[in-house]
Amino acid sequence: MPIVPQGLYDRLVAVRRELHRYPELSWQEARTAGVIAKFLHSLDIQHRTNVAGHGVVAEIPGASKVPCVVLRADTDALPIQEETGLEFASVHNGIMHACGHDGHTTMLLGAAVLLSQEKDLPAPVRLIFQPAEEKGTGAMAMIKEGVLNGAGLIFGGHLDRHYHPGTIVVSEGPVNASSDNFSIEIIGQGAHGARPHESIDAVVVGSLMIMALQTIVSREIDPARPSVVSVGQFHAGTAPNVIAGQARLEGTVRAQDPSVRQQLLSSVRRIAESIAQLHGAKIHIAVTEGTPPLINQPDLASIARRAAIEAVGETNVLPLKTANMGAEDFSYYLEKIPGAYVRFGSQVPGREGYPAHSSKFDFDEEALAVGAAYYAAVAKIAGRQLRQQAATT
Ligand code: NI
């Protein structure tokens, strides 16, 4: 079922495979930007390169005096050694498109083809190819470069191996979690391993802290509200017979609700301080705030749903099955202007067990056509709404 012309589909597959073969890490997407620019150039679409590093911003004209519809793709890859065995596998050692951003970029280029064939778009369309999503910092950098100036609505999406190819997942409410990191320095007192009474053992204090932090989600947060506290790093010590005087814990907290997010962070602080005090240790806590939760407002989800139905038909538009606790820096755009974020089914039979960010991740390329058709449809539906609003104000 080609939902875009076969010739376009073949072209998209070729572009995706080229991007996949030459993946680039966050903030290093120079070659990728070159491929994007060349493609846009072939369509005679006006575009700027080197926006916030290697970002690319393209403008497709539409009705005048109407704010533009923004469509966003991310372009970066991950520091993973690819093990898919695909014929177009990464030639860059230790770098891989393991999150499908090669697909996201290609979908948007497909939408560029479809939209550039339209006459009289109801609103201008801006395509933004954003670097460094994996670092969570690319979106903010693009916003600072003014990519939302004159913009009315924004749409984005992600491949998702939990759903069959040919489907689009549209849900109201939270679709991605917030992501904040914390680090805790524990300052105790080092001593000989044989004389613990002369120490304040930072390893013991840290261990108690890690276990106590696990009670935040299990005992303090409403179980109906998804949340995560994970300690990913615990560094301490130098020798078997030396009690460590210092230790460092680093972890991440995830939440879908802004109030839960605040509660998690304040509980981490309270528990860490209390455990340290209990054992006579000192601590320094630092919190690095990351992306906010990504929440689809109902009226915007309904625009996305109409576009999805236009692209794949009503039976192939699905609700989100379970909460997603991953982060997505698209949420920064939604802090500035309204929009919605969807997921594109892309399960490959036999590869269901290889999630995004795994060395064997792959996606069904039918999703490229689905994404292109969806983005073109949502640009027109959202554009009509913006044109109507512009006419009545
Ligand atoms: Ni991703």
Side-chain angles (χ1 to χ4, degrees):
M1 177 212 55
I3 58 167
V4 298
Q6 187 67 40
L8 172 57
Y9 180 68
D10 294 343
R11 190 176 175 195
L12 295 182
V13 167
V15 172
R16 181 262 161 154
R17 293 183 179 190
E18 180 179 1
L19 293 171
H20 192 88
R21 196 186 297 267
Y22 301 100
E24 293 168 304
L25 293 175
S26 306
W27 299 119
Q28 296 172 26
E29 310 88 343
R31 189 186 186 284
T32 304
V35 172
I36 295 165
K38 194 172 144 204
F39 195 102
L40 293 167
H41 186 78
S42 78
L43 300 172
D44 267 331
I45 293 176
Q46 212 188 73
H47 57 277
R48 287 188 293 144
T49 53
N50 301 318
V51 181
H54 299 294
V56 181
V57 180
E59 312 279 352
I60 303 174
S64 61
K65 299 194 178 133
V66 180
C68 67
V69 178
V70 182
L71 307 176
R72 172 274 206 172
D74 40 17
T75 63
D76 54 333
L78 286 158
I80 292 173
Q81 180 64 44
E82 180 159 352
E83 295 180 311
T84 58
L86 293 168
E87 57 167 66
F88 51 92
S90 169
V91 298
H92 291 164
N93 235 343
I95 307 178
M96 176 188 175
H97 269 297
C99 198
H101 297 189
D102 50 342
H104 303 164
T105 298
T106 305
M107 290 172 180
L108 216 53
L109 292 172
V113 172
L114 297 171
L115 290 167
S116 66
Q117 292 164 352
E118 297 271 340
K119 290 194 175 49
D120 308 321
L121 283 170
V125 180
R126 181 176 296 154
L127 310 173
I128 63 181
F129 297 88
Q130 176 210 305
E133 192 285 323
E134 295 293 354
K135 297 269 189 209
T137 45
M140 204 40 121
M142 291 291 271
I143 292 168
K144 285 194 180 126
E145 290 295 318
V147 301
L148 296 183
N149 292 351
L153 296 168
I154 184 164
F155 297 88
H158 206 292
L159 290 161
D160 195 321
R161 76 184 165 105
H162 297 99
Y163 304 87
H164 291 294
T167 60
I168 302 179
V169 179
V170 186
S171 272
E172 294 176 6
V175 292
N176 281 90
S178 61
S179 166
D180 303 301
N181 291 342
F182 61 85
S183 87
I184 304 170
E185 292 283 344
I186 301 164
I187 300 126
Q189 169 67 52
H192 194 294
R195 289 189 279 279
H197 59 290
E198 293 175 357
S199 78
I200 297 174
D201 188 338
V203 168
V204 170
V205 175
S207 304
L208 290 166
M209 219 174 261
I210 291 167
M211 297 313 291
L213 291 175
Q214 296 313 306
T215 63
I216 298 174
V217 173
S218 66
R219 303 291 85 179
E220 294 190 19
I221 305 290
D222 179 347
R225 292 165 169 237
S227 54
V228 178
V229 176
S230 291
V231 176
Q233 286 181 293
F234 184 3
H235 298 284
T238 53
N241 61 348
V242 175
I243 291 173
Q246 298 209 358
R248 192 176 83 246
L249 308 183
E250 293 197 24
T252 188
V253 304
R254 309 291 173 109
Q256 294 194 331
D257 181 302
S259 69
V260 172
R261 180 188 190 188
Q262 289 318 314
Q263 196 184 345
L264 291 173
L265 290 171
S266 77
S267 295
V268 166
R269 193 175 288 276
R270 190 193 80 244
I271 287 174
E273 281 167 355
S274 305
I275 298 279
Q277 196 192 17
L278 189 61
H279 296 279
K282 291 197 165 41
I283 56 164
H284 296 300
I285 303 183
V287 171
T288 310
E289 281 203 12
T291 50
L294 201 171
I295 297 164
N296 281 341
Q297 299 302 332
D299 50 335
L300 278 304
S302 120
I303 294 178
R305 182 171 292 109
R306 276 155 59 203
I309 290 170
E310 200 171 302
V312 293
E314 192 150 12
T315 53
N316 290 313
V317 179
L318 309 173
L320 197 60
K321 279 193 275 203
T322 50
N324 181 350
M325 299 310 285
E328 165 54 67
D329 75 359
F330 188 81
S331 52
Y332 286 119
Y333 299 110
L334 293 189
E335 287 191 325
K336 306 285 179 192
I337 64 170
Y341 197 77
V342 302
R343 306 189 80 78
F344 302 104
S346 56
Q347 190 171 86
V348 180
R351 283 193 195 261
E352 294 89 344
Y354 301 125
H357 294 213
S358 100
S359 61
K360 294 185 180 170
F361 171 81
D362 188 25
F363 65 86
D364 190 305
E365 287 171 327
E366 184 185 342
L368 301 174
V370 169
Y374 166 75
Y375 282 122
V378 84
K380 287 186 279 179
I381 292 170
R384 286 198 284 274
Q385 176 159 326
L386 289 172
R387 183 177 59 187
Q388 203 174 357
Q389 282 166 1
T392 55
T393 50

